[in-house]
Amino acid sequence: MSFAAAALKLEDLKTAPFDPRFPNTNQTRYCYQSYVDYYRCQKIRGKDYAPCEYFKKVFHSVCPNAWVEKWDAQREEGTFPGNI
């Protein structure tokens, strides 16, 4: 068992809950909106505002890692297409 696997607890292995705004099996919009909502929440409420973490858990659960890495790079460069 790897160190990373040993560090995870069963309660950490949850998926995002159902969101009626995104009823179809394609979760692309849910992924993107959760990503935007997380950073918008932090911008408005501050980085220490715990309820923002809900959105982070959702997008980490739903979004492919490559997308998150690309969007993080775009935010750093100031080229992210979303309104945060």
Side-chain angles (χ1 to χ4, degrees), residues 7-26:
L8 290 176
K9 297 177 185 168
L10 185 57
E11 59 268 9
D12 293 337
L13 300 175
K14 294 181 182 176
T15 189
F18 176 74
D19 189 328
R21 297 176 298 166
F22 309 104
N24 301 324
T25 56
N26 186 340

Side-chain angles (χ1 to χ4, degrees), residues 12-82:
D12 293 337
L13 300 175
K14 294 181 182 176
T15 189
F18 176 74
D19 189 328
R21 297 176 298 166
F22 309 104
N24 301 324
T25 56
N26 186 340
Q27 297 292 298
T28 303
R29 287 184 55 212
Y30 190 22
C31 159
Y32 179 80
Q33 192 61 52
S34 296
Y35 182 88
V36 170
D37 287 345
Y38 172 68
Y39 287 103
R40 188 177 293 155
C41 180
Q42 280 196 330
K43 181 179 178 183
I44 294 169
R45 298 289 188 160
K47 293 188 179 199
D48 296 328
Y49 190 65
C52 295
E53 292 301 310
Y54 168 80
F55 298 113
K56 183 177 182 178
K57 288 180 183 179
V58 170
F59 82 75
H60 275 290
S61 173
V62 177
C63 299
N65 291 337
W67 292 5
V68 174
E69 291 168 5
K70 178 181 177 182
W71 294 337
D72 286 345
Q74 288 175 335
R75 278 187 318 101
E76 289 175 12
E77 296 167 356
T79 60
F80 182 72

Side-chain angles (χ1 to χ4, degrees), residues 1-9:
M1 181 183 287
S2 71
F3 177 74
L8 290 176
K9 297 177 185 168

